[in-house]
Amino acid sequence: NAGVTQTPKFRVLKTGQSMTLLCAQDMNHEYMYWYRQDPGMGLRLIHYSVGEGTTAKGEVPDGYNVSRLKKQNFLLGLESAAPSQTSVYFCASSPRLAGGPREQFFGPGTRLTVL
Amino acid sequence: SQQGEEDPQALSIQEGENATMNCSYKTSINNLQWYRQNSGRGLVHLILIRSNEREKHSGRLRVTLDTSKKSSSLLITASRAADTASYFCATSHYNQGGKLIFGQGTELSVKP
């Protein structure tokens, strides 16, 4: 099992460019999440999905869009990148189990720089 | 808004010493989790404690939860240089679609 994988690992964009970050998981998890991590800020939830075809906004959704067309994939899009979106982006997944939320499994991250 | 607040922000100890990190939160939780992040890597789950539990152990890790004070602590006993990492608490709340709210983390440095 590869777990949670993210592509690309690194990317440099110019202001105004667009890009899509891909997250894939092979654990058949229902829930998937996109976070950004900035120095001193911990992880902040951008968008999440509780199942194929459904998405919802997290804490910091502005400037991002997501899609979950297949259960195993969760895409994060930046339509017009801004320097404020320079960050490390993490994808995570978790199973839906009785008794409430369980552990999340994280990908290795994508380091994005917007110039 | 973020709920988890951790202290200290940074902790430096010698190998063999114990490390204690604290986490406070604001509203009722379903469970509280601790994660570890090595530099440049993704987060790895360490331990989960439910709201009706007060203490949990896993190897050299001991987690306590005090729901009346809305706080938790993570104790790492007999620390090793390999324990050097950032540690995050994360809280989950009822009817929140599995979302976790992460604290800002404690950066632990264990010197050999």
PDB file of all heavy atoms in Angstrom, chain A residues 33 35 37 40-43 45 48 50 59 90 99-104 106-107, chain B residues 2 30-31 33 35 37 41-43 45 50 88 92 97-100 102-104:
ATOM      1  N   TYR A  33      -9.047  15.302   2.949  1.00  0.00           N
ATOM      2  CA  TYR A  33      -8.872  16.673   3.430  1.00  0.00           C
ATOM      3  C   TYR A  33      -7.688  17.330   2.720  1.00  0.00           C
ATOM      4  O   TYR A  33      -6.699  16.663   2.420  1.00  0.00           O
ATOM      5  CB  TYR A  33      -8.570  16.674   4.935  1.00  0.00           C
ATOM      6  CG  TYR A  33      -9.485  15.808   5.759  1.00  0.00           C
ATOM      7  CD1 TYR A  33      -9.233  14.450   5.915  1.00  0.00           C
ATOM      8  CD2 TYR A  33     -10.606  16.348   6.388  1.00  0.00           C
ATOM      9  CE1 TYR A  33     -10.063  13.648   6.673  1.00  0.00           C
ATOM     10  CE2 TYR A  33     -11.445  15.553   7.147  1.00  0.00           C
ATOM     11  CZ  TYR A  33     -11.165  14.197   7.287  1.00  0.00           C
ATOM     12  OH  TYR A  33     -12.001  13.410   8.029  1.00  0.00           O
ATOM     13  N   TYR A  35      -5.065  20.531   3.659  1.00  0.00           N
ATOM     14  CA  TYR A  35      -4.607  21.503   4.649  1.00  0.00           C
ATOM     15  C   TYR A  35      -3.471  22.329   4.043  1.00  0.00           C
ATOM     16  O   TYR A  35      -2.768  21.889   3.147  1.00  0.00           O
ATOM     17  CB  TYR A  35      -4.022  20.802   5.882  1.00  0.00           C
ATOM     18  CG  TYR A  35      -4.970  19.976   6.688  1.00  0.00           C
ATOM     19  CD1 TYR A  35      -5.146  18.620   6.430  1.00  0.00           C
ATOM     20  CD2 TYR A  35      -5.669  20.542   7.754  1.00  0.00           C
ATOM     21  CE1 TYR A  35      -5.998  17.844   7.204  1.00  0.00           C
ATOM     22  CE2 TYR A  35      -6.523  19.773   8.527  1.00  0.00           C
ATOM     23  CZ  TYR A  35      -6.679  18.434   8.245  1.00  0.00           C
ATOM     24  OH  TYR A  35      -7.519  17.669   9.018  1.00  0.00           O
ATOM     25  N   GLN A  37      -0.016  24.445   5.640  1.00  0.00           N
ATOM     26  CA  GLN A  37       0.778  24.641   6.846  1.00  0.00           C
ATOM     27  C   GLN A  37       1.730  25.798   6.630  1.00  0.00           C
ATOM     28  O   GLN A  37       2.551  25.783   5.716  1.00  0.00           O
ATOM     29  CB  GLN A  37       1.566  23.378   7.203  1.00  0.00           C
ATOM     30  CG  GLN A  37       2.345  23.513   8.508  1.00  0.00           C
ATOM     31  CD  GLN A  37       3.051  22.243   8.901  1.00  0.00           C
ATOM     32  OE1 GLN A  37       3.537  21.485   8.065  1.00  0.00           O
ATOM     33  NE2 GLN A  37       3.109  21.974  10.209  1.00  0.00           N
ATOM     34  N   GLY A  40       4.393  28.679  12.271  1.00  0.00           N
ATOM     35  CA  GLY A  40       3.728  29.213  13.451  1.00  0.00           C
ATOM     36  C   GLY A  40       2.214  29.148  13.419  1.00  0.00           C
ATOM     37  O   GLY A  40       1.555  29.636  14.335  1.00  0.00           O
ATOM     38  N   MET A  41       1.643  28.546  12.355  1.00  0.00           N
ATOM     39  CA  MET A  41       0.180  28.547  12.211  1.00  0.00           C
ATOM     40  C   MET A  41      -0.415  27.155  12.357  1.00  0.00           C
ATOM     41  O   MET A  41      -1.626  26.988  12.296  1.00  0.00           O
ATOM     42  CB  MET A  41      -0.214  29.116  10.850  1.00  0.00           C
ATOM     43  CG  MET A  41       0.210  30.541  10.635  1.00  0.00           C
ATOM     44  SD  MET A  41      -0.709  31.680  11.670  1.00  0.00           S
ATOM     45  CE  MET A  41      -2.308  31.625  10.894  1.00  0.00           C
ATOM     46  N   GLY A  42       0.402  26.135  12.516  1.00  0.00           N
ATOM     47  CA  GLY A  42      -0.163  24.792  12.544  1.00  0.00           C
ATOM     48  C   GLY A  42      -0.761  24.438  11.197  1.00  0.00           C
ATOM     49  O   GLY A  42      -0.389  25.011  10.167  1.00  0.00           O
ATOM     50  N   LEU A  43      -1.697  23.519  11.172  1.00  0.00           N
ATOM     51  CA  LEU A  43      -2.384  23.136   9.947  1.00  0.00           C
ATOM     52  C   LEU A  43      -3.759  23.778   9.924  1.00  0.00           C
ATOM     53  O   LEU A  43      -4.485  23.740  10.917  1.00  0.00           O
ATOM     54  CB  LEU A  43      -2.548  21.621   9.858  1.00  0.00           C
ATOM     55  CG  LEU A  43      -1.371  20.860   9.272  1.00  0.00           C
ATOM     56  CD1 LEU A  43      -0.265  20.743  10.286  1.00  0.00           C
ATOM     57  CD2 LEU A  43      -1.799  19.474   8.811  1.00  0.00           C
ATOM     58  N   LEU A  45      -7.400  23.835   7.732  1.00  0.00           N
ATOM     59  CA  LEU A  45      -8.183  23.068   6.769  1.00  0.00           C
ATOM     60  C   LEU A  45      -8.694  23.973   5.654  1.00  0.00           C
ATOM     61  O   LEU A  45      -9.334  24.999   5.911  1.00  0.00           O
ATOM     62  CB  LEU A  45      -9.354  22.398   7.485  1.00  0.00           C
ATOM     63  CG  LEU A  45     -10.243  21.489   6.644  1.00  0.00           C
ATOM     64  CD1 LEU A  45      -9.455  20.285   6.143  1.00  0.00           C
ATOM     65  CD2 LEU A  45     -11.443  21.043   7.478  1.00  0.00           C
ATOM     66  N   TYR A  48     -12.642  19.898   2.452  1.00  0.00           N
ATOM     67  CA  TYR A  48     -12.658  18.489   2.757  1.00  0.00           C
ATOM     68  C   TYR A  48     -13.815  17.816   2.028  1.00  0.00           C
ATOM     69  O   TYR A  48     -14.675  18.482   1.430  1.00  0.00           O
ATOM     70  CB  TYR A  48     -12.749  18.241   4.272  1.00  0.00           C
ATOM     71  CG  TYR A  48     -14.032  18.681   4.916  1.00  0.00           C
ATOM     72  CD1 TYR A  48     -15.009  17.759   5.260  1.00  0.00           C
ATOM     73  CD2 TYR A  48     -14.261  20.018   5.216  1.00  0.00           C
ATOM     74  CE1 TYR A  48     -16.182  18.162   5.872  1.00  0.00           C
ATOM     75  CE2 TYR A  48     -15.438  20.435   5.811  1.00  0.00           C
ATOM     76  CZ  TYR A  48     -16.388  19.502   6.151  1.00  0.00           C
ATOM     77  OH  TYR A  48     -17.549  19.913   6.746  1.00  0.00           O
ATOM     78  N   VAL A  50     -16.478  14.273   2.360  1.00  0.00           N
ATOM     79  CA  VAL A  50     -16.942  13.123   3.148  1.00  0.00           C
ATOM     80  C   VAL A  50     -17.346  11.958   2.256  1.00  0.00           C
ATOM     81  O   VAL A  50     -17.834  10.944   2.748  1.00  0.00           O
ATOM     82  CB  VAL A  50     -18.096  13.501   4.095  1.00  0.00           C
ATOM     83  CG1 VAL A  50     -17.628  14.572   5.076  1.00  0.00           C
ATOM     84  CG2 VAL A  50     -19.318  13.963   3.319  1.00  0.00           C
ATOM     85  N   GLU A  59     -11.648  25.928   6.947  1.00  0.00           N
ATOM     86  CA  GLU A  59     -11.374  27.179   7.640  1.00  0.00           C
ATOM     87  C   GLU A  59     -10.900  28.283   6.705  1.00  0.00           C
ATOM     88  O   GLU A  59     -11.214  29.466   6.894  1.00  0.00           O
ATOM     89  CB  GLU A  59     -10.317  26.918   8.718  1.00  0.00           C
ATOM     90  CG  GLU A  59      -9.979  28.085   9.598  1.00  0.00           C
ATOM     91  CD  GLU A  59      -8.842  27.742  10.553  1.00  0.00           C
ATOM     92  OE1 GLU A  59      -8.380  26.586  10.551  1.00  0.00           O
ATOM     93  OE2 GLU A  59      -8.406  28.641  11.288  1.00  0.00           O
ATOM     94  N   PHE A  90      -0.815  19.828   2.554  1.00  0.00           N
ATOM     95  CA  PHE A  90      -0.918  18.426   2.933  1.00  0.00           C
ATOM     96  C   PHE A  90      -2.311  17.906   2.638  1.00  0.00           C
ATOM     97  O   PHE A  90      -3.320  18.560   2.917  1.00  0.00           O
ATOM     98  CB  PHE A  90      -0.631  18.236   4.423  1.00  0.00           C
ATOM     99  CG  PHE A  90       0.810  18.407   4.781  1.00  0.00           C
ATOM    100  CD1 PHE A  90       1.265  19.603   5.323  1.00  0.00           C
ATOM    101  CD2 PHE A  90       1.719  17.383   4.574  1.00  0.00           C
ATOM    102  CE1 PHE A  90       2.593  19.778   5.646  1.00  0.00           C
ATOM    103  CE2 PHE A  90       3.058  17.548   4.902  1.00  0.00           C
ATOM    104  CZ  PHE A  90       3.493  18.744   5.438  1.00  0.00           C
ATOM    105  N   GLY A  99     -18.551   5.657  16.014  1.00  0.00           N
ATOM    106  CA  GLY A  99     -17.861   6.134  17.204  1.00  0.00           C
ATOM    107  C   GLY A  99     -17.126   7.433  17.001  1.00  0.00           C
ATOM    108  O   GLY A  99     -16.482   7.933  17.919  1.00  0.00           O
ATOM    109  N   GLY A 100     -17.213   7.995  15.808  1.00  0.00           N
ATOM    110  CA  GLY A 100     -16.614   9.298  15.600  1.00  0.00           C
ATOM    111  C   GLY A 100     -15.324   9.263  14.828  1.00  0.00           C
ATOM    112  O   GLY A 100     -14.812   8.198  14.494  1.00  0.00           O
ATOM    113  N   PRO A 101     -14.770  10.428  14.547  1.00  0.00           N
ATOM    114  CA  PRO A 101     -13.577  10.563  13.718  1.00  0.00           C
ATOM    115  C   PRO A 101     -12.378   9.830  14.306  1.00  0.00           C
ATOM    116  O   PRO A 101     -12.171   9.820  15.516  1.00  0.00           O
ATOM    117  CB  PRO A 101     -13.326  12.066  13.704  1.00  0.00           C
ATOM    118  CG  PRO A 101     -14.642  12.667  13.991  1.00  0.00           C
ATOM    119  CD  PRO A 101     -15.324  11.730  14.926  1.00  0.00           C
ATOM    120  N   ARG A 102     -11.628   9.207  13.444  1.00  0.00           N
ATOM    121  CA  ARG A 102     -10.418   8.500  13.849  1.00  0.00           C
ATOM    122  C   ARG A 102      -9.202   9.180  13.275  1.00  0.00           C
ATOM    123  O   ARG A 102      -9.280  10.292  12.767  1.00  0.00           O
ATOM    124  CB  ARG A 102     -10.495   7.049  13.381  1.00  0.00           C
ATOM    125  CG  ARG A 102     -11.739   6.323  13.824  1.00  0.00           C
ATOM    126  CD  ARG A 102     -11.806   6.141  15.329  1.00  0.00           C
ATOM    127  NE  ARG A 102     -13.043   5.513  15.756  1.00  0.00           N
ATOM    128  CZ  ARG A 102     -13.258   4.210  15.786  1.00  0.00           C
ATOM    129  NH1 ARG A 102     -12.298   3.387  15.413  1.00  0.00           N
ATOM    130  NH2 ARG A 102     -14.418   3.726  16.180  1.00  0.00           N
ATOM    131  N   GLU A 103      -8.104   8.486  13.313  1.00  0.00           N
ATOM    132  CA  GLU A 103      -6.867   9.090  12.858  1.00  0.00           C
ATOM    133  C   GLU A 103      -6.921   9.413  11.371  1.00  0.00           C
ATOM    134  O   GLU A 103      -7.598   8.746  10.591  1.00  0.00           O
ATOM    135  CB  GLU A 103      -5.695   8.162  13.127  1.00  0.00           C
ATOM    136  CG  GLU A 103      -5.722   6.888  12.315  1.00  0.00           C
ATOM    137  CD  GLU A 103      -4.487   6.061  12.527  1.00  0.00           C
ATOM    138  OE1 GLU A 103      -3.402   6.490  12.086  1.00  0.00           O
ATOM    139  OE2 GLU A 103      -4.599   4.989  13.126  1.00  0.00           O
ATOM    140  N   GLN A 104      -6.181  10.465  11.034  1.00  0.00           N
ATOM    141  CA  GLN A 104      -6.017  10.838   9.636  1.00  0.00           C
ATOM    142  C   GLN A 104      -4.638  10.390   9.174  1.00  0.00           C
ATOM    143  O   GLN A 104      -3.670  10.427   9.935  1.00  0.00           O
ATOM    144  CB  GLN A 104      -6.193  12.341   9.456  1.00  0.00           C
ATOM    145  CG  GLN A 104      -7.623  12.797   9.725  1.00  0.00           C
ATOM    146  CD  GLN A 104      -7.855  14.264   9.440  1.00  0.00           C
ATOM    147  OE1 GLN A 104      -7.001  14.968   8.890  1.00  0.00           O
ATOM    148  NE2 GLN A 104      -9.046  14.751   9.780  1.00  0.00           N
ATOM    149  N   PHE A 106      -1.667  11.093   6.506  1.00  0.00           N
ATOM    150  CA  PHE A 106      -1.196  12.242   5.750  1.00  0.00           C
ATOM    151  C   PHE A 106      -0.263  11.851   4.616  1.00  0.00           C
ATOM    152  O   PHE A 106       0.517  10.899   4.711  1.00  0.00           O
ATOM    153  CB  PHE A 106      -0.462  13.206   6.680  1.00  0.00           C
ATOM    154  CG  PHE A 106      -1.381  14.054   7.490  1.00  0.00           C
ATOM    155  CD1 PHE A 106      -1.972  13.549   8.640  1.00  0.00           C
ATOM    156  CD2 PHE A 106      -1.681  15.356   7.098  1.00  0.00           C
ATOM    157  CE1 PHE A 106      -2.847  14.325   9.390  1.00  0.00           C
ATOM    158  CE2 PHE A 106      -2.550  16.139   7.832  1.00  0.00           C
ATOM    159  CZ  PHE A 106      -3.137  15.623   8.973  1.00  0.00           C
ATOM    160  N   GLY A 107      -0.329  12.656   3.556  1.00  0.00           N
ATOM    161  CA  GLY A 107       0.640  12.555   2.487  1.00  0.00           C
ATOM    162  C   GLY A 107       1.909  13.298   2.857  1.00  0.00           C
ATOM    163  O   GLY A 107       1.979  13.945   3.894  1.00  0.00           O
TER     164      GLY A 107
ATOM    165  N   GLN B   2      -9.041  28.412  14.935  1.00  0.00           N
ATOM    166  CA  GLN B   2      -8.355  27.269  15.508  1.00  0.00           C
ATOM    167  C   GLN B   2      -8.722  27.127  16.969  1.00  0.00           C
ATOM    168  O   GLN B   2      -8.869  28.092  17.697  1.00  0.00           O
ATOM    169  CB  GLN B   2      -6.850  27.449  15.372  1.00  0.00           C
ATOM    170  CG  GLN B   2      -6.372  27.227  13.941  1.00  0.00           C
ATOM    171  CD  GLN B   2      -4.871  27.281  13.850  1.00  0.00           C
ATOM    172  OE1 GLN B   2      -4.259  28.213  14.324  1.00  0.00           O
ATOM    173  NE2 GLN B   2      -4.270  26.279  13.251  1.00  0.00           N
ATOM    174  N   ASN B  30     -15.143  15.247  20.692  1.00  0.00           N
ATOM    175  CA  ASN B  30     -15.432  13.829  20.545  1.00  0.00           C
ATOM    176  C   ASN B  30     -14.188  13.043  20.961  1.00  0.00           C
ATOM    177  O   ASN B  30     -14.257  12.120  21.759  1.00  0.00           O
ATOM    178  CB  ASN B  30     -15.787  13.552  19.090  1.00  0.00           C
ATOM    179  CG  ASN B  30     -16.113  12.099  18.826  1.00  0.00           C
ATOM    180  OD1 ASN B  30     -15.529  11.194  19.423  1.00  0.00           O
ATOM    181  ND2 ASN B  30     -17.040  11.860  17.946  1.00  0.00           N
ATOM    182  N   ASN B  31     -13.075  13.432  20.412  1.00  0.00           N
ATOM    183  CA  ASN B  31     -11.805  12.858  20.829  1.00  0.00           C
ATOM    184  C   ASN B  31     -10.682  13.851  20.593  1.00  0.00           C
ATOM    185  O   ASN B  31     -10.882  14.890  19.942  1.00  0.00           O
ATOM    186  CB  ASN B  31     -11.506  11.518  20.125  1.00  0.00           C
ATOM    187  CG  ASN B  31     -11.308  11.663  18.630  1.00  0.00           C
ATOM    188  OD1 ASN B  31     -10.478  12.429  18.160  1.00  0.00           O
ATOM    189  ND2 ASN B  31     -12.082  10.905  17.855  1.00  0.00           N
ATOM    190  N   GLN B  33      -6.479  13.955  19.522  1.00  0.00           N
ATOM    191  CA  GLN B  33      -5.413  13.138  18.944  1.00  0.00           C
ATOM    192  C   GLN B  33      -4.096  13.901  19.013  1.00  0.00           C
ATOM    193  O   GLN B  33      -4.078  15.136  18.980  1.00  0.00           O
ATOM    194  CB  GLN B  33      -5.756  12.804  17.487  1.00  0.00           C
ATOM    195  CG  GLN B  33      -7.093  12.085  17.326  1.00  0.00           C
ATOM    196  CD  GLN B  33      -7.465  11.845  15.879  1.00  0.00           C
ATOM    197  OE1 GLN B  33      -6.603  11.644  15.037  1.00  0.00           O
ATOM    198  NE2 GLN B  33      -8.767  11.836  15.599  1.00  0.00           N
ATOM    199  N   TYR B  35      -0.300  14.103  17.050  1.00  0.00           N
ATOM    200  CA  TYR B  35       0.434  13.760  15.843  1.00  0.00           C
ATOM    201  C   TYR B  35       1.871  14.244  15.986  1.00  0.00           C
ATOM    202  O   TYR B  35       2.168  15.206  16.694  1.00  0.00           O
ATOM    203  CB  TYR B  35      -0.187  14.439  14.614  1.00  0.00           C
ATOM    204  CG  TYR B  35      -1.497  13.846  14.164  1.00  0.00           C
ATOM    205  CD1 TYR B  35      -2.679  14.162  14.831  1.00  0.00           C
ATOM    206  CD2 TYR B  35      -1.558  12.967  13.090  1.00  0.00           C
ATOM    207  CE1 TYR B  35      -3.881  13.610  14.423  1.00  0.00           C
ATOM    208  CE2 TYR B  35      -2.760  12.418  12.674  1.00  0.00           C
ATOM    209  CZ  TYR B  35      -3.919  12.743  13.362  1.00  0.00           C
ATOM    210  OH  TYR B  35      -5.111  12.193  12.960  1.00  0.00           O
ATOM    211  N   GLN B  37       5.376  15.316  13.606  1.00  0.00           N
ATOM    212  CA  GLN B  37       5.843  15.694  12.281  1.00  0.00           C
ATOM    213  C   GLN B  37       7.352  15.878  12.314  1.00  0.00           C
ATOM    214  O   GLN B  37       7.858  16.780  12.979  1.00  0.00           O
ATOM    215  CB  GLN B  37       5.176  16.988  11.802  1.00  0.00           C
ATOM    216  CG  GLN B  37       5.594  17.370  10.382  1.00  0.00           C
ATOM    217  CD  GLN B  37       4.941  18.666   9.914  1.00  0.00           C
ATOM    218  OE1 GLN B  37       4.705  19.576  10.691  1.00  0.00           O
ATOM    219  NE2 GLN B  37       4.628  18.742   8.626  1.00  0.00           N
ATOM    220  N   ARG B  41       8.349  16.485   6.573  1.00  0.00           N
ATOM    221  CA  ARG B  41       7.519  15.307   6.312  1.00  0.00           C
ATOM    222  C   ARG B  41       6.059  15.586   6.663  1.00  0.00           C
ATOM    223  O   ARG B  41       5.714  16.617   7.230  1.00  0.00           O
ATOM    224  CB  ARG B  41       8.010  14.136   7.187  1.00  0.00           C
ATOM    225  CG  ARG B  41       9.438  13.721   6.927  1.00  0.00           C
ATOM    226  CD  ARG B  41       9.582  13.051   5.585  1.00  0.00           C
ATOM    227  NE  ARG B  41      10.830  12.366   5.416  1.00  0.00           N
ATOM    228  CZ  ARG B  41      11.026  11.092   5.719  1.00  0.00           C
ATOM    229  NH1 ARG B  41      10.051  10.374   6.224  1.00  0.00           N
ATOM    230  NH2 ARG B  41      12.197  10.540   5.520  1.00  0.00           N
ATOM    231  N   GLY B  42       5.200  14.632   6.325  1.00  0.00           N
ATOM    232  CA  GLY B  42       3.797  14.711   6.717  1.00  0.00           C
ATOM    233  C   GLY B  42       3.613  14.314   8.168  1.00  0.00           C
ATOM    234  O   GLY B  42       4.545  13.858   8.824  1.00  0.00           O
ATOM    235  N   LEU B  43       2.410  14.507   8.672  1.00  0.00           N
ATOM    236  CA  LEU B  43       2.118  14.182  10.063  1.00  0.00           C
ATOM    237  C   LEU B  43       1.831  12.689  10.211  1.00  0.00           C
ATOM    238  O   LEU B  43       1.271  12.054   9.309  1.00  0.00           O
ATOM    239  CB  LEU B  43       0.901  14.965  10.555  1.00  0.00           C
ATOM    240  CG  LEU B  43       1.167  16.396  10.999  1.00  0.00           C
ATOM    241  CD1 LEU B  43       1.470  17.303   9.834  1.00  0.00           C
ATOM    242  CD2 LEU B  43      -0.025  16.927  11.809  1.00  0.00           C
ATOM    243  N   HIS B  45       0.129   9.916  12.954  1.00  0.00           N
ATOM    244  CA  HIS B  45      -0.715   9.769  14.136  1.00  0.00           C
ATOM    245  C   HIS B  45       0.020   9.018  15.239  1.00  0.00           C
ATOM    246  O   HIS B  45       0.664   7.992  14.981  1.00  0.00           O
ATOM    247  CB  HIS B  45      -1.988   9.010  13.747  1.00  0.00           C
ATOM    248  CG  HIS B  45      -2.954   8.830  14.859  1.00  0.00           C
ATOM    249  ND1 HIS B  45      -3.004   7.691  15.626  1.00  0.00           N
ATOM    250  CD2 HIS B  45      -3.907   9.650  15.341  1.00  0.00           C
ATOM    251  CE1 HIS B  45      -3.948   7.813  16.521  1.00  0.00           C
ATOM    252  NE2 HIS B  45      -4.524   8.999  16.374  1.00  0.00           N
ATOM    253  N   ARG B  50     -10.368   9.334  23.784  1.00  0.00           N
ATOM    254  CA  ARG B  50     -11.759   9.717  23.644  1.00  0.00           C
ATOM    255  C   ARG B  50     -12.168  10.629  24.792  1.00  0.00           C
ATOM    256  O   ARG B  50     -11.549  10.647  25.842  1.00  0.00           O
ATOM    257  CB  ARG B  50     -12.644   8.479  23.613  1.00  0.00           C
ATOM    258  CG  ARG B  50     -12.320   7.561  22.460  1.00  0.00           C
ATOM    259  CD  ARG B  50     -13.327   6.424  22.348  1.00  0.00           C
ATOM    260  NE  ARG B  50     -12.872   5.439  21.371  1.00  0.00           N
ATOM    261  CZ  ARG B  50     -12.908   5.619  20.061  1.00  0.00           C
ATOM    262  NH1 ARG B  50     -13.363   6.767  19.580  1.00  0.00           N
ATOM    263  NH2 ARG B  50     -12.490   4.683  19.252  1.00  0.00           N
ATOM    264  N   PHE B  88       1.767  17.880  17.463  1.00  0.00           N
ATOM    265  CA  PHE B  88       0.524  18.630  17.339  1.00  0.00           C
ATOM    266  C   PHE B  88      -0.614  17.890  18.027  1.00  0.00           C
ATOM    267  O   PHE B  88      -0.729  16.666  17.885  1.00  0.00           O
ATOM    268  CB  PHE B  88       0.150  18.807  15.865  1.00  0.00           C
ATOM    269  CG  PHE B  88       1.110  19.642  15.075  1.00  0.00           C
ATOM    270  CD1 PHE B  88       2.207  19.071  14.456  1.00  0.00           C
ATOM    271  CD2 PHE B  88       0.905  21.009  14.941  1.00  0.00           C
ATOM    272  CE1 PHE B  88       3.094  19.842  13.713  1.00  0.00           C
ATOM    273  CE2 PHE B  88       1.788  21.790  14.210  1.00  0.00           C
ATOM    274  CZ  PHE B  88       2.880  21.208  13.604  1.00  0.00           C
ATOM    275  N   SER B  92     -11.375  16.619  17.541  1.00  0.00           N
ATOM    276  CA  SER B  92     -12.515  16.360  16.675  1.00  0.00           C
ATOM    277  C   SER B  92     -13.791  16.626  17.455  1.00  0.00           C
ATOM    278  O   SER B  92     -13.834  16.442  18.680  1.00  0.00           O
ATOM    279  CB  SER B  92     -12.502  14.925  16.154  1.00  0.00           C
ATOM    280  OG  SER B  92     -12.879  14.027  17.164  1.00  0.00           O
ATOM    281  N   GLY B  97     -18.127  16.117  10.335  1.00  0.00           N
ATOM    282  CA  GLY B  97     -17.635  15.444   9.133  1.00  0.00           C
ATOM    283  C   GLY B  97     -16.222  14.936   9.236  1.00  0.00           C
ATOM    284  O   GLY B  97     -15.506  14.890   8.245  1.00  0.00           O
ATOM    285  N   GLY B  98     -15.811  14.536  10.447  1.00  0.00           N
ATOM    286  CA  GLY B  98     -14.483  13.975  10.588  1.00  0.00           C
ATOM    287  C   GLY B  98     -13.370  14.997  10.624  1.00  0.00           C
ATOM    288  O   GLY B  98     -12.192  14.650  10.638  1.00  0.00           O
ATOM    289  N   LYS B  99     -13.725  16.278  10.620  1.00  0.00           N
ATOM    290  CA  LYS B  99     -12.687  17.308  10.614  1.00  0.00           C
ATOM    291  C   LYS B  99     -11.908  17.325  11.924  1.00  0.00           C
ATOM    292  O   LYS B  99     -12.438  17.032  12.985  1.00  0.00           O
ATOM    293  CB  LYS B  99     -13.319  18.693  10.413  1.00  0.00           C
ATOM    294  CG  LYS B  99     -13.934  18.910   9.059  1.00  0.00           C
ATOM    295  CD  LYS B  99     -14.358  20.352   8.884  1.00  0.00           C
ATOM    296  CE  LYS B  99     -15.450  20.741   9.844  1.00  0.00           C
ATOM    297  NZ  LYS B  99     -15.899  22.134   9.627  1.00  0.00           N
ATOM    298  N   LEU B 100     -10.635  17.686  11.808  1.00  0.00           N
ATOM    299  CA  LEU B 100      -9.794  17.894  12.980  1.00  0.00           C
ATOM    300  C   LEU B 100      -9.358  19.355  13.026  1.00  0.00           C
ATOM    301  O   LEU B 100      -9.109  19.958  11.983  1.00  0.00           O
ATOM    302  CB  LEU B 100      -8.546  17.018  12.936  1.00  0.00           C
ATOM    303  CG  LEU B 100      -8.743  15.509  13.034  1.00  0.00           C
ATOM    304  CD1 LEU B 100      -7.403  14.801  12.922  1.00  0.00           C
ATOM    305  CD2 LEU B 100      -9.433  15.144  14.348  1.00  0.00           C
ATOM    306  N   PHE B 102      -6.363  21.563  14.434  1.00  0.00           N
ATOM    307  CA  PHE B 102      -5.000  21.374  14.918  1.00  0.00           C
ATOM    308  C   PHE B 102      -4.516  22.563  15.731  1.00  0.00           C
ATOM    309  O   PHE B 102      -4.838  23.711  15.431  1.00  0.00           O
ATOM    310  CB  PHE B 102      -4.043  21.172  13.744  1.00  0.00           C
ATOM    311  CG  PHE B 102      -4.113  19.803  13.148  1.00  0.00           C
ATOM    312  CD1 PHE B 102      -5.066  19.501  12.193  1.00  0.00           C
ATOM    313  CD2 PHE B 102      -3.242  18.811  13.564  1.00  0.00           C
ATOM    314  CE1 PHE B 102      -5.152  18.238  11.650  1.00  0.00           C
ATOM    315  CE2 PHE B 102      -3.313  17.541  13.015  1.00  0.00           C
ATOM    316  CZ  PHE B 102      -4.277  17.252  12.064  1.00  0.00           C
ATOM    317  N   GLY B 103      -3.706  22.255  16.742  1.00  0.00           N
ATOM    318  CA  GLY B 103      -2.990  23.297  17.454  1.00  0.00           C
ATOM    319  C   GLY B 103      -1.778  23.734  16.655  1.00  0.00           C
ATOM    320  O   GLY B 103      -1.491  23.206  15.574  1.00  0.00           O
ATOM    321  N   GLN B 104      -1.054  24.703  17.206  1.00  0.00           N
ATOM    322  CA  GLN B 104       0.076  25.278  16.486  1.00  0.00           C
ATOM    323  C   GLN B 104       1.345  24.451  16.653  1.00  0.00           C
ATOM    324  O   GLN B 104       2.326  24.684  15.957  1.00  0.00           O
ATOM    325  CB  GLN B 104       0.309  26.713  16.952  1.00  0.00           C
ATOM    326  CG  GLN B 104      -0.855  27.621  16.597  1.00  0.00           C
ATOM    327  CD  GLN B 104      -0.748  28.968  17.277  1.00  0.00           C
ATOM    328  OE1 GLN B 104      -0.151  29.089  18.332  1.00  0.00           O
ATOM    329  NE2 GLN B 104      -1.337  29.974  16.679  1.00  0.00           N
TER     330      GLN B 104
END
